Structure formats: C-alpha cells, structure tokens
C-alpha cells in the first residue's frame, strides 16, 4: 500500500500527461513555454486571484513574496510553530526574524489568540518591527482567516498565505490561495496538486506585485530585456515540462479529486471517530486533505500504533515530529517548550494515515481494521 499513490493517478491520466510532456520536447520551449502561461492563467482564475506567477518550488514562492515586500533584518514575520520548515526558513534567509505562534490542537493551524499574544510580546520588547503574518493551511484546511485577517488589520500587518498544503480547500466557497495580500503554493509531488519534480506559485491581485514577482524570479530583469537587471533576484522558474504535467492533473483535480479525497476522509472518520481524535474541519471550511491526521493518547501509544501498521504493510507518517522552536536551526532563539504546549502535544500524538484521491473503500477498511484491532 502507498501513502500517496501517485502511480494510480498516473495510470488514470497517462495518455494526457505523456502527450503533454512529448509536446514540450517537440516544441523545445523548455523555459517559460506556453504551458507555463496557460497554467498561470488557469490557476489564477480558479483560486480567484488576478495573477499567478509560477516558480521553482513552494519555498521560493514564499521567499519571492517576502522579497517583493522588502522583508529583511529587524522585521518580525509571524508563522506557525507546527509546519514544514520553509514557512519560517524563508524569513530567516532574508535576515528577518520568524516569530513562532502556537497552534489550535483541533485544527493544527495557527492559534489566533496566540498570534495576538506574540504580536503584543514583540511590540513590548521593542526590538523587531512586526511586518507579516504567514498563516499555513496545514494538512489541507485553510487557516482561520476569519480571525487572522482582522488581527492583521488591527496591527497593520501584511498576510502571506502559505497554501502549499491548502490548494483546493476553501472557506464558504472562497478558495485557498486567495486569502490575505499574497499567497503561495507548492507543486511538490505529494502536495494536493503536485507535479513530477519541484514547482510552486505565488498569487496576487496587485499588478505591481505581479511585475516584481516576474522580475525577481528571473534575476531582477526588466520586463523588456533579460540582460537589463534592475535588482537582485533569483533564478526560480517552473519548468515547461512540469507545467505540461500539471495541466491535465489540474483538470482531474477540479473535476473529481477534491471530491474523492473528501469521500475518503469521510470513510476514515466514520470508522475511527469513536476510538480516536479524528480531524476537525471547521463549519463552512473544506479541506483538500493534504494529510489525514489523527491524534492518539500519547507518544507511546502513537509509536506503538505506527509500528503495528508498519508490520501490516501500511505506511504512516508523523507530521511533524518536532515544532520549529525545537529545531537545531532555531536553538539560538531559546524558545521554551512551555510557550508552545499545543505544538508539543501534537508532535507527541499525531499520526498521518494514507490519503489520496485514488484510495478505495477497501483500503480504508483494511487500515481502520488494523487501527481498531
Ligand atoms: C511543502 C511546503 C512548503 C515548501 O514547498 P516546496 O515546494 O517543497 O519548496 C512550504 N510550506 C509548507 C507548509 C509546505 O508543506
């Protein structure tokens, strides 16, 4: 059994994907060819943003957005403590300081209450200037923008949605990657919309930000002349072949895959809800189920359950084994576990189960049988 069965998806879409790849090779337009522009147009329209700028990966997408806003030394960037490293690392690499925020244990997303506490703490200390909030749509569920956006407004902060795992989710029909001032996603193969390598995108409604993003992904070039460099940029483009792979995958994603993962989540929850803490999706929210993550009693029962599944040939993952405040790279910040009780609890108790649109009810039945045995 696969944790995320990319092979099953490929078999379903093979003729279109193969033809797309071959067409790029025939065209020899490997860099920023037509499929890239076509994908950008389609994704922007889908999420409901004016512009989509494709780039090399989800990490670069975050960095490019922060570069557009001139984020650097002395700036505080607030993000979740319980996420993939890039949500915070991209601030650090620009010389800014990530300020880590504890999560709500029911959704695993940034706690709006702790966000406000952390902003107040930074203001009181007076060493850093609060600039940006980077909420993460963890495991496919959009962060609590109903509460986060008013906090950003109150303190005059920008919001950069890290939608790497959230693509396809929504809040009352408003899609992930349309919240806040800019948003990003990742096309890493295991993400809700993944390619066959690395890829990412930034979304914005602002024409000037769109132009800056296009310049910054190509060495800070001027719009007209590739060899007229106006600022220091990156080399971060989405390969044309990856765009050609994403086009048919995006079609399947909107046509049925989002429904399929939600159906699979329902199969799990129906069987597991009486024995485990199953995922909470807030009223009015839709998850794209980047992960289906349950909570067990404690670290010992979680580890034992993972071993039991493994013995039965069922893969499972621990997303995430440590909070960012516990990472070696952030030891210098001296952040105590006591500041992040919910993150610490999550790291001890989470277990992510196989989840993808091509799962069959028999697969879920077998996994749950093992969990409940
Ligand atoms: C995967 C991921 C990223 C980074 O995306 P890459 O394409 O791997 O660089 C950023 N943030 C979150 C929350 C992610 O899950």
């Amino acid at each position: 059994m696969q944790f995320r069965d990319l092979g099953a998806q490929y078999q379903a879409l093979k003729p279109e994907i193969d033809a797309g790849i071959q067409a790029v090779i025939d065209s020899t337009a490997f860099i920023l060819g037509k499929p890239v522009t076509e994908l950008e147009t389609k994704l922007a329209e889908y999420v409901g943003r004016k512009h989509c700028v494709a780039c090399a990966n989800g990490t670069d997408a975050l960095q490019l957005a922060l570069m557009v806003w001139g984020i650097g030394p002395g700036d505080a960037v607030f993000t979740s403590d319980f996420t993939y490293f890039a949500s915070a690392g991209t601030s650090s690499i620009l010389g800014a300081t990530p300020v880590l925020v504890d999560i709500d244990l029911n959704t695993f997303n940034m706690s709006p209450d702790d966000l406000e506490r952390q902003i107040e703490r930074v203001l009181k200390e007076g060493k850093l200037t609060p600039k940006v909030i980077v909420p993460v749509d963890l495991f496919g569920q959009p962060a609590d923008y109903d509460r986060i956006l008013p906090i950003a407004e109150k303190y005059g902060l920008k919001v950069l949605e890290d939608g790497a795992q959230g693509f396809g989710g929504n809040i009352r029909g408003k899609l992930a990657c349309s919240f806040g001032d800019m948003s990003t996603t990742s096309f890493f193969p295991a993400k809700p919309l993944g390619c066959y390598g690395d890829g990412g995108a930034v979304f914005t409604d602002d024409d000037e930000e769109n132009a800056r993003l296009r310049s910054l992904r190509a060495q800070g070039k001027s719009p007209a002349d590739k060899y007229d460099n106006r600022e220091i940029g990156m080399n971060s483009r989405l390969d044309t072949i990856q765009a050609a792979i994403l086009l048919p995958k995006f079609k399947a994603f909107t046509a049925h895959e989002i429904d399929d993962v939600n159906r699979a989540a329902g199969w799990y929850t129906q069987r597991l809800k009486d024995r485990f803490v199953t995922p909470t999706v807030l009223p009015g929210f839709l998850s794209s189920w980047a992960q289906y993550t349950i909570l067990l009693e404690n670290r010992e029962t979680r580890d034992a359950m993972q071993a039991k599944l493994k013995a039965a040939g069922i893969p499972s993952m621990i997303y995430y084994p440590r909070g960012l405040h516990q990472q070696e790279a952030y030891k210098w910040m001296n952040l105590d576990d006591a500041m992040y009780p919910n993150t610490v609890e999550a790291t001890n108790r989470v277990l992510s189960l196989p989840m993808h649109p091509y799962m069959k009810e028999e697969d879920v039945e077998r996994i749950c049988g093992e969990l409940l045995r």
Side-chain angles (χ1 to χ4, degrees), residues 144-373:
D144 191 354
Y145 296 99
D146 292 336
R147 293 198 52 209
I148 292 170
L149 295 177
I151 294 172
E153 176 103 29
K154 176 175 168 188
Y155 293 96
L157 309 180
K158 296 240 186 236
V159 172
L160 172 59
E161 175 189 5
D162 181 348
Q165 299 181 22
F167 193 84
N170 73 56
I171 305 177
R172 298 180 298 276
K174 184 174 165 59
L175 277 144
C177 294
S178 75
F179 294 99
D181 300 280
M182 274 198 259
S183 28
T184 62
T185 197
S186 162
F187 305 126
F188 181 81
K191 303 287 160 121
L193 178 64
C195 61
Y196 289 170
D198 280 304
V202 190
F203 299 88
T204 177
D205 291 317
D206 185 282
D207 295 346
E208 238 163 80
E209 286 176 352
N210 173 52
R212 287 282 309 288
L213 289 165
R214 285 175 196 284
S215 168
L216 286 168
R217 78 173 171 186
Q219 314 282 358
K221 75 178 184 67
S222 81
D225 180 354
K226 186 176 167 184
Y227 300 104
D228 172 17
N229 304 90
R230 307 244 168 119
E231 60 182 321
I232 308 298
M234 302 172 73
N235 174 25
S236 184
R237 297 165 299 215
L238 179 71
D239 288 347
T240 310
I241 288 181
Q242 297 303 342
I245 291 161
L246 282 164
L247 282 168
K249 284 210 189 202
F250 175 62
K251 204 161 79 182
F253 184 81
T254 55
H256 60 86
E257 287 184 359
I258 279 284
D259 293 340
D260 297 342
V261 283
N262 274 281
R263 193 176 317 114
W267 292 333
Y268 268 127
T269 300
Q270 181 200 330
R271 289 166 173 81
L272 298 177
K273 65 180 187 323
D274 295 334
R275 273 282 295 282
F276 302 97
V277 180
T278 49
T280 302
V281 178
L282 296 176
F285 285 53
L286 184 88
S287 177
S288 57
W289 298 105
Q291 303 297 338
Y292 185 92
T293 304
I294 60 172
L295 283 175
L296 286 93
E297 243 158 50
N298 54 45
R299 182 180 280 264
E300 289 66 39
T301 49
R302 190 269 313 273
D303 291 349
M305 186 60 82
Q306 185 171 38
K308 189 164 98 172
L309 291 176
K310 190 174 175 200
I314 297 166
S316 64
M317 302 291 284
I318 294 167
Y319 293 123
Y320 292 92
R322 52 186 76 77
L324 296 189
H325 77 278
Q326 297 167 319
Q327 295 286 1
E328 185 75 31
Y330 288 142
K331 254 211 169 119
W332 60 272
M333 293 206 276
N334 267 318
L335 296 167
D336 200 85
D337 275 359
M339 281 174 75
Y340 301 100
N342 293 334
T343 295
V344 171
E345 179 137 1
T347 60
N348 287 327
R349 295 175 56 197
V350 286
L351 189 64
S352 299
L353 305 174
M355 178 52 120
H356 57 85
Y358 298 84
M359 281 191 91
K360 298 195 181 71
E361 193 164 11
E362 302 96 87
D363 301 331
V364 174
E365 184 71 44
R366 184 160 96 76
I367 296 161
C368 294
E370 222 35 67
L371 283 160
L372 296 168
R373 194 161 58 84

Side-chain angles (χ1 to χ4, degrees), residues 28-158:
T28 71
F30 299 114
I31 303 295
L32 297 183
K34 241 200 223 130
V36 177
T37 322
E38 191 184 332
L39 182 75
E40 288 179 335
T41 306
K42 285 197 166 141
L43 296 190
E45 194 185 336
Y46 170 71
V47 305
R49 284 274 204 208
K50 195 165 172 195
H51 304 285
C52 167
V53 180
C55 64
N57 55 68
T59 305
D60 283 5
L62 289 165
Q63 186 176 331
L64 285 164
L66 294 170
M67 285 169 81
V68 165
W69 290 336
I71 299 307
D75 295 336
V77 179
F78 300 84
T79 194
S80 176
D81 185 40
F82 190 65
T83 177
Y84 181 62
F85 191 74
S87 307
T90 43
S91 309
S92 299
I93 210 156
L94 294 171
T97 304
V99 177
L100 304 171
V101 177
D102 202 14
I103 54 166
D104 279 337
L105 204 52
N106 59 338
T107 61
F108 304 112
N109 276 331
M110 171 186 279
S111 153
D113 292 326
D114 197 51
L115 170 64
E116 192 148 11
R117 259 195 303 276
Q118 297 289 347
I119 296 170
E120 288 289 350
R121 184 177 65 79
V122 168
L123 287 170
K124 208 162 128 213
E125 280 178 10
K127 289 185 198 144
L128 300 168
T129 313
K131 284 279 176 74
V132 182
I133 305 168
V134 182
V136 180
D137 304 335
L138 204 77
F139 301 157
Q141 176 164 215
D144 191 354
Y145 296 99
D146 292 336
R147 293 198 52 209
I148 292 170
L149 295 177
I151 294 172
E153 176 103 29
K154 176 175 168 188
Y155 293 96
L157 309 180
K158 296 240 186 236

